[in-house]
Amino acid sequence: MRHVTDEERRARLAARHRIMPGARAPDAVSATRAMTVLHATEPPTVYLSLAARVDGLAREDIDRELYVHRSLVKQLAMRRTLFVFPRDLLPAAWASASARVAIQEATRLARDAVRGGLAPDGAAWLAEREQEVLGLLAGGGLQTSDIRKQVPDMDAKVPTGGVNSKWGGPTPIGPRVLTWLGARGLIVRGRNGGHWRISRAEWTPMETWLGELPARPSEDEAYAELVRRWLHTFGPGTTRDIQWWLGATLTAVRRALAAVDAVEVSLDGGGTGWLLADDVDEVEEPGPWAALLPVLDPTTMGWKERGFYLDPADVPYLFDSNGNAGTTAWWNGRIVGCWVQDAAGKVRVVSRHTLPADAEAALAAEAERLTAWLDGEIVNSLYASKQMKSERLP
């Protein structure tokens, strides 16, 4: 069995993820493909993840791919998370991870519609809202607030969660219906009515947004395609990594690994991982490099088992209790701290460890690059880590 050391895994990460100076991508679409997908839970992450991987990339360049060429498309998928997909990978999401989320959402929505007194038959109520929303959007894209005004039941509030849950209070059902329709690939978050740091998306029929819709593969074919691309980006990874990233069943993961003819490799620490059969050649050490990545960047969030690039002692300071990453500073394939901005928007690196002089210099250069790109704009986050919060100015 081929053995892949932690050092080699970090070397693969450097080149495959396009975050190493000298190995960055030529454009936004190439950078997204390199990562399989981009996290889009917070709007700035998309822009900052791409800026970290493409030299000289302007916000307008990213907007053009998202809203004009539509080569990059937002889609709710794995783990009920919003991602930016390369356009050609959307059918695989619709038939697998997104479909799984949609089924789960439909069950909850139907239950809560009944509990909220909206209808005795929750499934029928949901089907009616689907037709109303799709009919309304046939006239053009609308923001959530506009849809709620024009479809009365979409403005209703229903109880959610358990009886004794702190999340059990009344919440609007309309946004959840739109999320469900989006997961099914029927509608899409289209043009943004806000700026790059906030989301005021106009919901638009997917067919209107993309034109003729591509055919959807079978569920097994879809999962296999997602796993194939994940392995190219993140391999070697463990079965646990893949199952977590996909938000799928172990059975689905095993079928997908078999379908792509993945080969098992041994890892440091005694574990085993997977690589594509045509991707088992040893990767050379790339030399020293530094990078600054945003909250929820796909590199930081690519694996469940993160020990080869993250000191376990740093997790409470750089991740929240749910495993969501704040900003991160990287040196030679390891997370060594985070970055913050001062009141003027200048980026400053906060190290968790004592670093050698060349690491400090390289990270300082990346901080200057990111400061210039941000050009005085301040980026806030709901996922600020403990370390980020402790460094905020009073």
Side-chain angles (χ1 to χ4, degrees):
M1 186 183 295
R2 161 97 150 87
H3 183 75
V4 182
T5 65
D6 286 350
E7 288 78 8
E8 185 180 347
R9 294 182 77 181
R10 293 191 289 268
R12 284 174 169 266
L13 180 157
R16 296 288 174 90
H17 292 203
R18 301 301 191 100
I19 53 178
M20 182 178 70
R24 292 185 177 130
D27 54 60
V29 176
S30 298
T32 304
R33 288 185 181 281
M35 296 310 304
T36 303
V37 291
L38 302 175
H39 272 258
T41 301
E42 293 195 327
T45 296
V46 175
Y47 292 80
L48 293 171
S49 291
L50 289 172
R53 292 172 169 85
V54 183
D55 288 323
L57 186 68
R59 296 164 184 69
E60 294 77 13
D61 298 329
I62 300 170
D63 287 338
R64 189 177 304 112
E65 300 301 337
L66 285 169
Y67 306 122
V68 180
H69 300 323
R70 301 169 189 179
S71 54
L72 303 176
V73 183
K74 293 181 180 180
Q75 174 66 41
L76 195 76
M78 296 76 73
R79 309 185 312 280
R80 202 185 178 278
T81 299
L82 184 65
F83 294 94
V84 165
F85 278 75
R87 182 171 176 151
D88 69 300
L89 190 54
L90 284 170
W94 295 336
S96 59
S98 296
R100 179 177 170 84
V101 171
I103 291 170
Q104 294 168 343
E105 288 296 303
T107 300
R108 296 189 188 104
L109 281 165
R111 176 202 65 195
D112 292 341
V114 174
R115 290 174 59 191
L118 298 180
D121 186 334
W125 180 91
L126 195 55
E128 291 172 3
R129 300 296 81 71
E130 173 184 336
Q131 294 305 311
E132 287 181 331
V133 171
L134 293 180
L136 181 63
L137 293 181
L142 292 172
Q143 293 183 7
T144 299
S145 57
D146 297 321
I147 297 172
R148 289 173 62 180
K149 290 176 183 177
Q150 297 186 52
V151 181
D153 271 8
M154 291 284 283
D155 202 35
K157 292 185 177 182
V158 297
T160 58
V163 175
N164 298 318
S165 171
K166 66 178 180 179
W167 308 111
T171 59
I173 200 168
R176 295 172 58 200
V177 173
L178 297 175
T179 295
W180 168 66
L181 293 173
R184 293 170 62 198
L186 297 179
I187 62 176
V188 63
R189 292 166 174 83
R191 297 187 186 280
N192 184 18
H195 55 72
W196 71 279
R197 289 177 286 116
I198 64 172
S199 178
R200 292 178 181 166
E202 291 185 354
W203 289 99
T204 305
M206 186 68 77
E207 189 169 8
T208 301
W209 191 249
L210 296 183
E212 184 178 357
L213 295 180
R216 301 189 182 196
S218 69
E219 180 180 352
D220 284 349
E221 291 171 335
Y223 273 125
E225 180 62 14
L226 288 178
V227 168
R228 184 184 69 80
R229 298 209 192 188
W230 186 92
L231 286 172
H232 184 267
T233 298
F234 298 100
T238 66
T239 301
R240 187 170 179 234
D241 289 328
I242 300 168
Q243 184 180 3
W244 171 80
W245 187 85
L246 276 178
T249 65
L250 182 58
T251 297
V253 172
R254 286 172 173 166
R255 285 177 178 169
L257 287 168
V260 301
D261 295 325
V263 296
E264 204 167 14
V265 297
S266 60
L267 304 174
D268 282 356
T272 58
W274 299 92
L275 281 174
L276 294 172
D278 61 356
D279 189 29
V280 296
D281 292 341
E282 187 171 350
V283 175
E284 295 182 359
E285 170 61 41
W289 60 276
L292 299 180
L293 300 181
V295 167
L296 299 175
D297 185 83
T299 293
T300 316
M301 299 296 295
W303 296 266
K304 176 69 172 177
E305 301 181 32
R306 299 164 176 159
F308 75 96
Y309 65 93
L310 176 65
D311 185 339
D314 290 339
V315 172
Y317 298 93
L318 302 175
F319 289 70
D320 68 17
S321 59
N322 293 319
N324 297 307
T327 61
T328 50
W330 294 69
W331 174 244
N332 290 347
R334 288 186 174 93
I335 296 176
V336 295
C338 68
W339 59 268
V340 295
Q341 290 178 274
D342 65 18
K346 183 177 180 179
V347 174
R348 176 169 61 89
V349 176
V350 182
S351 301
R352 290 287 308 157
H353 309 275
T354 300
L355 299 175
D358 58 342
E360 291 185 352
L363 287 167
E366 290 302 306
E368 290 182 7
R369 176 176 178 264
L370 182 53
T371 297
W373 192 89
L374 288 167
D375 194 24
E377 295 189 73
I378 305 294
V379 177
N380 295 309
S381 174
L382 294 174
Y383 298 94
S385 64
K386 181 179 179 180
Q387 188 76 64
M388 292 168 65
K389 291 175 182 177
S390 70
E391 298 294 330
R392 284 177 175 168
L393 295 176

